[in-house]
Amino acid sequence: MRTTERAAPPPPAPPATSDAAVIRDALGVGVAVGLSGFAFGVTSAGVGLSLLQTCALSLLVFTGASQFALVGALAAGGNPLTAAAGAFFLGARNAFYGLRLSAVLGYRSTVKPFAAHWVIDETSAVTLAQPDRRTARLGFTVTGLTLYVLWNLTTLVGALGAEALGDTEAWGLDAAGPAVFLALLAPMLKDTVERVAAGLAVVLVMVTLPLLPTGVPVLISALAAPAVLVVQGRRERAKEAGTAQEPGAVPAGPAAPPARPDGAPDSRTATEEDRA
């Protein structure tokens, strides 16, 4: 008898994302992060950079973490070359984003050098969240354009405002940069392990800051993450061991010899056990 085999149904297509939804998400990210350029402008002017230098950093560098790292190192009295090197290595992560986005976006070689300037954390997140190439390009373009324009405008406003106010330390504006980092980091701490690691890092910085040279407390605070992970691993192993050996459980003894149909134990088994 001949049987007919039915072909397996094709996998379901990913749900389509409307252009309006992509634009809405891209604008939300661009506006939320772009406003942080004001804090950078204030911080940069506060460490002594001119208006031209501050705006040039946002126009040409355009990666907030590296920019804040640069002015933060300068504010702490670091060497300009050392500060620039630290900012460079921090921004090198964007190169890895670019390798991934190059395949997703599929731009021509003539467009890639211009698109590379917008390859940052926010544009990568929005782009990789899209189900197809068309919406990925839309998300990348809207996020990059919104963020670039708004970041540079708010940088200019922040730098001009800092110059008008004078001493930023007297107004407490030197805390603007760390406050922005904290605002961006806080929503990412979703579980207990992450919150404990962040809290321990803060404690390590506060304890070692008066005792050690500039920059060393930050390096020591990085030990918080592996320390918390080690403790968590030990607790999980102890929990697994306790589950495997529940209290009150009686260990099973040796199996009884199989019985014959009449109910008597098997003589062969008994003989073998006696001989053993």
Side-chain angles (χ1 to χ4, degrees), residues 87-193:
F88 172 80
F89 286 112
L90 183 59
R93 72 191 187 284
N94 294 333
F96 297 98
Y97 294 155
L99 294 175
R100 181 71 179 94
L101 294 185
S102 178
V104 173
L105 297 172
Y107 285 138
R108 297 190 302 270
S109 57
T110 55
V111 180
K112 286 182 179 180
F114 300 98
H117 194 52
W118 287 357
V119 175
I120 52 177
D121 298 329
E122 293 76 16
T123 55
S124 300
V126 174
T127 302
L128 296 176
Q130 307 311 319
D132 53 59
R133 174 166 291 180
R134 187 185 64 81
T135 54
R137 287 183 174 183
L138 179 62
F140 177 82
T141 303
V142 175
T143 306
L145 180 61
T146 304
L147 186 52
Y148 188 75
V149 172
L150 194 56
W151 178 269
N152 283 281
L153 286 177
T154 54
T155 295
L156 175 62
V157 173
L160 290 174
E163 289 185 353
L165 291 174
D167 186 8
T168 56
E169 293 186 0
W171 294 83
L173 297 180
D174 54 318
V180 171
F181 272 121
L182 182 61
L184 293 175
L185 176 64
M188 300 180 184
L189 305 178
K190 298 179 180 180
D191 56 29
T192 304
V193 175

Side-chain angles (χ1 to χ4, degrees), residues 20-37:
V22 177
I23 294 174
R24 179 197 61 214
D25 295 341
L27 287 175
V29 173
V31 172
V33 180
L35 294 175
S36 304

Side-chain angles (χ1 to χ4, degrees), residues 185-225:
L185 176 64
M188 300 180 184
L189 305 178
K190 298 179 180 180
D191 56 29
T192 304
V193 175
E194 294 172 350
R195 295 190 185 102
V196 171
L200 179 58
V202 171
V203 171
L204 290 175
V205 170
M206 298 299 293
V207 171
T208 58
L209 190 61
L211 306 175
L212 300 177
T214 302
V216 177
V218 176
L219 297 177
I220 292 179
S221 68
L223 299 175

